[in-house]
Amino acid sequence: MKRISLIIIIVMLLTLLSGCAERTVQLSETRLLMDTYGTITIHGDIDPELLDDAFALIEELEGLFSMTIEGSDVWRINNSGGEAVQVDARTIELITTGLEFAELSDGMFDITIGRLSRLWDFGAAASDIASLESRVPSVLTIKEARETINSDQMNVAENTVQIVNSDAWIDLGAIAKGFIADSVAELLIDRGVSGALIDLGGDVVAVGYRQDGTVWRIALQLPFGNPGERIGVVEVSGVAVVASGIYERQFEENGIIYHHILDPTTGMPVITDIVSATIVAENALIGEGLSTIAILVGSERALERFEQVQGFIGAVLVLDSGEVLTIGDVELIV
Amino acid sequence: MMMRRVNVRRLTLMAILTAIALIIFIIEAQIPMPIPVPGVKLGLANAVTLFALFYGAKVRGENLHNGASRMPRPINVQIPYIKHPSASSPSLTTINVFTILLCRILLGAIFTGRPIVVVYSLVGGILGFVAQIIMKRFVSSKQIWVCGAFGAVFHNIGQIVAAMVITGTPAIIMYLPILIIAGVFTGVLTGLIAQLTLSRLFS
Amino acid sequence: MNKSERTIKLSNRFWMLMLGVIVIISAIIAVLLWRVPADYARIYHDNVLVDVINLTTVTERREIEITRDNANNVVVIEYGRVRMECANCPDGICVRRGWVSGGLIPIVCLPNRVVIVFDSSDNDVDAVVG
């Protein structure tokens, strides 16, 4: 009797242990960061701490790239009074790419837009709005801010950055999330995930496949539609999907809608024929940059130039006429 | 300069009714409802609105299909100006009643401490009121409960629509069936309250 | 002038029947809505999609905190069911709803503008951009 019980116990233990060994788990976590909700989903033979590490990385990078956090790399550059400032290698990388985007877009995309972007407050809370007379900055302040915008005044050396014009500020807000999403993807891949989905407020990086082996499905929000309404779905693996739209952050005053993508030549929201641009690219940084650039330069230039961009895969552009254009290698499933 | 003759007795009556409705509204706001659905409440303040609507009607001689006496007998009631409902008593026009409703909604929103609620209350209140004045045409003064039911139902419909628009989530419409049922029951209740009060007054 | 001629009188029975029918139809619709299986939950805050969750593939309990813009809600997710917790809403209707494991009727916290919408179709997307 004792013998049999012992055998039974051993068998049970073995089954339990074998269960522990090769379990692939799917974990998902959503946190509020950089003013939007970010969700990271991972699966594979992984360490449960990995999600915490991923979010910690996001916080660390935010601490480098934020304009408003005192002491961040960007803050120090903006407040250096024209001096060269030593910064993190990743900041150098991001800024360098930002300058490349400026060239690609003939200057429409410009990271030195900081003074101008600070004038416009698109994300103001309802309580603050009530006390403002007008959310549209005055013509004079816009002109002053506009004149500080010029990517040529940036000097990027091996580990320092300098803005020659001490009045100018850089704002990495248009591309920081993309870079951060890519960094998180790198971290997750290094740590051995089988598949992951990183969604930072609309910047999505799809690593590998879903746990059931199917591709990741990403929906494209219908511009000006109800949340959840979509124009279609793209099925992806191993790429990034990023979208920008003029409806994302905007306010209305006196019957005019002011959106958040500013034209550096006028200081006002850019007049464009694109309502939303979704880019599928090799990484989220390119995706985010191109989605903003598309809106800035308009559909014609986007159609001409994007396919030559290194890392570009495809795009879906929604025009103000309602037309939906696709460029490159992307299939929109409706 | 525009001269207007103000009927002080009517104004006083309206003020009193507004105050009553407001008090009922505030007290009711303190009582939580057992059903965990947004918008379900007794709506007792609506009884005052219904009362006011049909009071004016009675004084003017409308809605008297059931052969109720046209000349009300005097009764012992403490409230001034309602003591002897008669031709010389103040009548309340539909607009008067609407004014009472508006004042109660606005003041109620302020006094219950959450002014944002005023949007929901206004949309629901106005829609419910319109439903009630339409239904009043089809109903006798012994059937105020019908009016109340329709009023409450449309009040709830208005609130759902407001919530759908404000939150931008069309899915909220799923609450409609439950709120319609609740509206029918609470509407009948408040309608009956108004009806019984009125019939005591006029018998 | 006797205004009573302008009104139409219908019998009490008629009205009771009418209201009764309305109640019954609403009840039927309510039950139907309640019975639909809810496989997907979409959480929105201030009209912004926070997350899409497939309730049938949840393996571990998960909590999502919604704290932006004065909201203080937590969405708790377990296999096949969801509930909302709220620390700062006046009547706590959303909390009293409790666990929701079926039906298309959303969980709403109107004061904090948090809405959880349910879906049973194969709207199976992992993320939404744009």
Side-chain angles (χ1 to χ4, degrees), chain A residues 67 74-75 77-82 110-116 144-151 153-154 162-171:
Chain A
M67 259 182 104
V74 170
W75 186 90
I77 295 172
N78 287 340
N79 288 287
S80 67
D110 199 319
I111 54 176
T112 60
I113 203 172
R115 284 283 181 191
L116 183 64
E144 279 173 8
R146 254 199 306 127
E147 284 164 0
T148 67
I149 303 175
N150 190 341
S151 273
Q153 65 199 331
M154 302 265 323
Q162 177 190 26
I163 312 180
V164 175
N165 177 358
S166 59
D167 282 332
W169 278 357
I170 54 169
D171 182 348

Side-chain angles (χ1 to χ4, degrees), chain A residues 34-308:
Chain A
M34 296 180 294
D35 210 35
T36 63
Y37 291 101
T39 308
I40 303 181
T41 305
I42 52 181
H43 67 87
D45 192 8
I46 47 186
D47 171 12
E49 303 268 296
L50 186 49
L51 275 180
D52 283 331
D53 293 342
F55 282 108
L57 174 61
I58 296 178
E59 241 186 277
E60 185 194 341
L61 291 174
E62 198 193 346
L64 290 177
F65 303 146
S66 164
M67 259 182 104
T68 52
I69 297 180
E70 222 175 286
S72 76
D73 279 0
V74 170
W75 186 90
R76 287 186 300 119
I77 295 172
N78 287 340
N79 288 287
S80 67
E83 299 287 313
V85 173
Q86 201 171 43
V87 295
D88 190 291
R90 294 167 290 189
T91 312
I92 303 264
E93 208 186 314
L94 183 56
I95 292 181
T96 309
T97 312
L99 295 174
E100 284 169 18
F101 283 141
E103 257 197 67
L104 168 64
S105 63
D106 293 333
M108 286 294 277
F109 179 96
D110 199 319
I111 54 176
T112 60
I113 203 172
R115 284 283 181 191
L116 183 64
S117 53
R118 279 285 116 195
L119 282 181
W120 294 83
D121 189 3
F122 292 96
S127 45
D128 295 329
I129 296 173
S131 57
L132 289 172
E133 265 181 46
S134 168
R135 293 174 74 186
V136 181
S138 75
V139 174
L140 197 56
T141 53
I142 290 184
K143 182 163 181 293
E144 279 173 8
R146 254 199 306 127
E147 284 164 0
T148 67
I149 303 175
N150 190 341
S151 273
D152 292 336
Q153 65 199 331
M154 302 265 323
N155 279 334
V156 181
E158 241 186 71
N159 57 353
T160 62
V161 175
Q162 177 190 26
I163 312 180
V164 175
N165 177 358
S166 59
D167 282 332
W169 278 357
I170 54 169
D171 182 348
L172 297 177
I175 46 179
K177 270 203 312 232
F179 185 91
I180 295 179
D182 291 330
S183 305
V184 172
E186 256 185 67
L187 170 72
L188 295 177
I189 295 173
D190 277 343
R191 298 272 284 269
V193 291
S194 314
L197 191 71
I198 301 153
D199 176 3
L200 297 186
D203 284 26
V204 172
V205 178
V207 176
Y209 293 89
R210 289 163 40 141
Q211 199 175 21
D212 58 9
T214 56
V215 282
W216 297 100
R217 291 167 50 96
I218 316 293
L220 274 52
Q221 168 77 28
L222 175 70
F224 298 112
N226 286 320
E229 271 187 282
R230 59 201 199 189
I231 51 179
V233 173
V234 290
E235 295 183 329
V236 295
S237 162
V239 294
V241 181
V242 182
S244 281
I246 62 175
Y247 50 87
E248 281 174 314
R249 286 174 172 239
Q250 39 137 315
F251 63 84
E252 191 193 317
E253 201 171 283
N254 294 330
I256 306 175
I257 297 185
Y258 298 88
H259 64 81
H260 74 295
I261 301 185
L262 304 171
D263 182 339
T265 61
T266 65
M268 302 289 282
V270 67
I271 299 177
T272 174
D273 64 340
I274 297 183
V275 168
S276 101
T278 306
I279 311 285
V280 179
E282 283 174 12
N283 60 56
L285 180 53
I286 296 179
E288 213 182 348
L290 289 182
S291 66
T292 306
I293 291 176
I295 297 182
L296 283 169
V297 303
S299 59
E300 215 182 294
R301 301 256 286 280
L303 283 166
E304 276 171 25
R305 303 197 180 178
F306 279 14
E307 287 186 273
Q308 283 92 44

Side-chain angles (χ1 to χ4, degrees), chain A residues 302-321:
Chain A
L303 283 166
E304 276 171 25
R305 303 197 180 178
F306 279 14
E307 287 186 273
Q308 283 92 44
V309 176
Q310 172 84 289
F312 173 81
I313 297 174
V316 177
L317 306 175
V318 180
L319 305 184
D320 53 8
S321 58

Side-chain angles (χ1 to χ4, degrees), chain B residues 33-34 36-38 61-62 65 114 135 137-139 143 145-146 149-150 167-169 171 174-175 177 180-181 184, chain C residues 2-4 6-12 15-16 22-23 26-27 33 47 90 93 96-97 104-106 108 117:
Chain B
M33 284 283 114
V37 171
E62 302 170 1
H65 291 281
R114 288 182 44 215
M135 292 313 296
R137 291 283 183 93
F138 299 92
V139 139
Q143 293 172 327
W145 53 276
V146 176
F150 279 90
T167 61
T169 329
M174 306 283 182
Y175 278 109
I180 289 181
I181 298 176
V184 168
Chain C
N2 188 349
K3 284 194 187 163
S4 62
R6 282 212 270 150
T7 60
I8 306 168
K9 160 122 186 198
L10 295 154
S11 74
N12 280 358
W15 288 119
M16 285 200 284
I22 293 178
V23 169
S26 301
L33 286 177
N47 252 356
I93 294 178
R96 285 194 283 143
R97 182 92 186 265
L104 294 179
I105 305 175
V108 290
V117 177

